[in-house]
Amino acid sequence: MTSEPTAEVVDLCRDLLRIDTTNTGDNDTSVGERRAAEYVAEKLAEVGVESVLHESAPGRANVVARIPGADPSRGALLVHGHLDVVPADADEWSVHPFSGEVRDGYLWGRGAIDMKDFDAMVLAVVRHWQRTGVRPPRDIVLAYTADEEAGSDYGARFLVENHRDLFDGCTEAIGEVGGFSYSVNDSQRLYLIETAEKGIDWLRLHAKGRPGHGSMVHDDNAVTALAEAVARIGRHRFPVVVTDTVRAFLEEVSDLLGIELDPNDPETAIAKLGPIANIIGATIRNTANPTRLSAGYKDNVIPGRATATIDCRSLPGQSELLERQLRELVGPDIAIEYVQRQPALETTFDGDLVEAMSAALRAEDPGARPVPYMLSGGTDAKAFSQLGIRCFGFAPLRLPADLNFSALFHGIDERVPVDGLQFGVRVLDRFLRTC
């Protein structure tokens, strides 16, 4: 195996993709996280980096390592990535989702962009440094976590609650879903750096009714009550609220694309953004999407209970408002139970770390224009922010102009461009040497 990080990153990412780390949200059926954690620990140990492995439950493993920097008086930088992936149905894919196949200039597999690409990039850079004697300007803490895809209870949140000493001195962090490109034209690309992310408000709705025989006239049916409440939520569009981060992004984009931005109608400008419109469009309002239904045990029995799961995402500072809005939608007879409730995050797009990110991107792509944006989903940053760490999303990738990047997250035929992966290694190497 070559020691050059831009070549080695493909091998490292392929190896990780071939380890099935499916997280179903159930400990009994989730697999592979310990095997992947041991792989990471082994690759670090090969170049002399000691790490610790902590299991939160059998098989749910996390790896943390600290690389000493030149100036120990400075705050440490946390670099974190999760090892778990969402399920994939092989029958729906063009290649097997855990094959790690290279085809048409892409590396294919579940986790290719969410987020074993970044896991491999960081490993490649660190291994290269250890071989060549590079020392970062400050301590760098590496965290490879479990369970991000189901709320981080067995991963980042477990580490924060039980092993926070591993993150002593960490003041800033970088993680997933930031630093990727959006092509404006042949010579200019926006690079979206995540400075904010929506809150996670996963909840269940519970309806109760009178059980009975399915052949009877029945006016107290739990399934009917639940279905009506779910339909009201699913069809509802919450009011537009433009946060500081989204406003800054839209102003940058409008200036670069020559789009007139109406503060009262941001959706018109967002609709012109092509493949990233879905991501940005979900950050101008609270959202609530029904995802699961459960009721009944026999075809001719009216059940006394019915349950639905709703995936809600709240804007910064709006979690309580969203709860009130949902309560009005479902009515007084439907009970609301929170499954996960994690706050939204937002920081400013300034400071030395942002300058270092921007400089590294421009050095590798003279047409780069870094901009802040809000992620419509959530990451492990929610857990690490509880330690007072300022969190960013910065997993750099230069993407083909015609690639619908957002559709690959949790989608079919997830893949990462090989040259984009190698671009990310070069950017990370520059950034981490100057951070």
Side-chain angles (χ1 to χ4, degrees), residues 286-302:
N286 295 326
T287 58
N289 287 303
T291 56
R292 300 179 71 179
L293 295 169
S294 177
Y297 53 88
K298 197 171 186 298
D299 291 350
N300 62 347
V301 176
I302 297 171

Side-chain angles (χ1 to χ4, degrees), residues 235-406:
R235 295 194 181 102
H236 186 73
R237 291 296 174 267
F238 294 89
V240 170
V241 177
V242 179
T243 63
D244 291 342
T245 296
V246 174
R247 181 177 293 106
F249 171 82
L250 291 175
E251 288 173 351
E252 289 271 5
V253 169
S254 298
D255 176 59
L256 192 59
L257 299 182
I259 300 172
E260 183 177 350
L261 176 61
D262 181 352
N264 298 316
D265 181 24
E267 290 175 291
T268 297
I270 291 171
K272 299 177 181 179
L273 297 180
I276 63 169
N278 284 342
I279 294 179
I280 305 304
T283 63
I284 60 172
R285 54 166 49 93
N286 295 326
T287 58
N289 287 303
T291 56
R292 300 179 71 179
L293 295 169
S294 177
Y297 53 88
K298 197 171 186 298
D299 291 350
N300 62 347
V301 176
I302 297 171
R305 296 175 180 270
T307 301
T309 303
I310 314 293
D311 183 347
C312 303
R313 309 292 173 129
S314 56
L315 294 170
Q318 297 223 346
S319 181
E320 292 183 1
L321 172 61
L322 175 59
E323 182 178 358
R324 293 196 296 270
Q325 292 170 329
L326 290 169
R327 171 53 60 203
E328 292 177 3
L329 284 170
V330 303
D333 297 328
I334 303 292
I336 294 177
E337 172 200 4
Y338 277 88
V339 179
Q340 287 280 355
R341 197 170 194 181
Q342 300 183 33
L345 304 178
E346 189 165 31
T347 188
T348 52
F349 190 60
D350 56 18
D352 292 342
L353 198 72
V354 170
E355 289 300 319
M357 294 178 200
S358 301
L361 286 167
R362 293 190 185 105
E364 291 297 331
D365 181 0
R369 183 165 174 172
V371 295
Y373 93 108
M374 178 185 292
L375 176 65
S376 58
T379 74
D380 279 339
K382 294 187 185 306
F384 294 123
S385 68
Q386 295 175 22
L387 300 177
I389 298 172
R390 187 184 183 204
C391 297
F392 296 87
F394 187 65
L397 285 174
R398 180 167 171 173
L399 302 169
D402 60 351
L403 181 67
N404 189 347
F405 185 58
S406 63

Side-chain angles (χ1 to χ4, degrees), residues 92-143:
E92 297 177 330
W93 284 55
S94 301
V95 304
H96 194 282
F98 299 106
S99 65
E101 182 175 334
V102 176
R103 179 193 291 187
D104 302 326
Y106 288 84
L107 180 56
W108 298 61
R110 174 60 84 219
I113 52 99
D114 187 15
M115 60 173 299
K116 291 179 177 179
D117 58 339
F118 182 68
D119 295 336
M121 282 189 257
V122 174
L123 264 183
V125 170
V126 168
R127 283 166 60 86
H128 178 66
W129 282 4
Q130 292 296 113
R131 293 186 182 111
T132 56
V134 174
R135 192 175 186 186
R138 56 169 162 165
D139 284 9
I140 293 177
V141 175
L142 308 178

Side-chain angles (χ1 to χ4, degrees), residues 62 88 142 162 183 187 339 374 385 408:
N62 305 273
L142 308 178
N162 297 278
S183 295
S187 61
V339 179
M374 178 185 292
S385 68
L408 296 178

Side-chain angles (χ1 to χ4, degrees), residues 198-261:
K198 294 177 79 174
I200 294 176
D201 302 80
W202 294 343
L203 54 86
R204 291 195 182 101
L205 304 182
H206 298 281
K208 294 182 180 180
R210 189 178 70 253
H213 198 288
S215 67
M216 303 294 180
V217 176
H218 205 91
D219 59 3
D220 186 19
N221 189 313
V223 175
T224 301
L226 180 74
E228 290 173 342
V230 167
R232 288 194 293 272
I233 288 177
R235 295 194 181 102
H236 186 73
R237 291 296 174 267
F238 294 89
V240 170
V241 177
V242 179
T243 63
D244 291 342
T245 296
V246 174
R247 181 177 293 106
F249 171 82
L250 291 175
E251 288 173 351
E252 289 271 5
V253 169
S254 298
D255 176 59
L256 192 59
L257 299 182
I259 300 172
E260 183 177 350
L261 176 61

